[in-house]
Amino acid sequence: MMIIEILQLISCFALGLLVGSLLTEAMILVPYWRTMKPKEFLSLHSTLGPRLFIYFAPLTILATMLPVVAAVMPFVLGTTSHWLSIVPAIITLIMLAIYFGYFKGANDSFKSGSVGVDGLAEELTKWARWHWTRVVLGIAAFFTSLLVILYGA
């Protein structure tokens, strides 16, 4: 069905944008942040953090909702679907859960400065590990969505 194929393409595109953005953050921003003096980072993050949120929030929502809708729509329409279409949906939901389980609180502590100068290095190390977990999950979701397109609904 054409609507399912369109949803799968848009889903794959959104995942690609999210994964590319997460990789950019992991490869450029995070290493830079880790070289900054703690007070400098906390000062920067109080203004940069909200800007990153404005960028990542809609992208994360789209890259989560679209795979879920693409996986559910065949059931709604009563058509057959490749079982693989469920995988990107599950992975993106896990990525969203990680955001609410860890990143929301950690980012708030950076923004408010409550992490403290002394705890910043350790928290940035933890933040980077969780971020790479999301990057790897995102890559898996993206490549799985490509396989869904390749093998069809």
Side-chain angles (χ1 to χ4, degrees):
M1 192 153 227
M2 185 66 117
I3 185 83
I4 295 169
E5 292 168 351
I6 291 169
L7 278 170
Q8 290 171 341
L9 285 170
I10 295 170
S11 170
C12 185
F13 179 73
L15 280 168
L17 286 174
L18 178 61
V19 169
S21 297
L22 290 172
L23 271 170
T24 300
E25 188 174 32
M27 302 287 289
I28 296 172
L29 289 178
V30 176
Y32 176 68
W33 293 340
R34 293 177 82 183
T35 65
M36 296 175 78
K37 292 182 167 88
K39 285 184 181 181
E40 183 183 15
F41 171 82
L42 293 173
S43 175
L44 172 71
H45 200 76
S46 66
T47 57
L48 182 62
R51 289 179 180 173
L52 288 170
F53 181 81
I54 288 169
Y55 174 77
F56 275 104
L59 186 55
T60 301
I61 291 167
L62 278 175
T64 303
M65 288 179 55
L66 288 169
V68 170
V69 171
V72 170
M73 192 57 76
F75 298 105
V76 171
L77 297 176
T79 64
T80 59
S81 176
H82 197 284
W83 67 269
L84 206 52
S85 66
I86 296 170
V87 174
I90 292 170
I91 293 172
T92 58
L93 289 171
I94 291 168
M95 291 172 67
L96 187 64
I98 291 171
Y99 170 78
F100 284 108
Y102 173 72
F103 285 101
K104 185 171 182 348
N107 292 342
D108 287 346
S109 76
F110 293 154
K111 182 180 173 187
S112 70
S114 66
V115 66
V117 171
D118 295 332
L120 181 63
E122 182 180 335
E123 193 61 37
L124 274 176
T125 298
K126 184 177 177 181
W127 195 99
R129 278 195 305 265
W130 276 109
H131 186 73
W132 274 108
T133 300
R134 287 185 76 214
V135 168
V136 170
L137 287 168
I139 290 169
F142 174 69
F143 281 108
T144 306
S145 72
L146 289 174
L147 290 175
V148 169
I149 292 168
L150 180 66
Y151 293 114

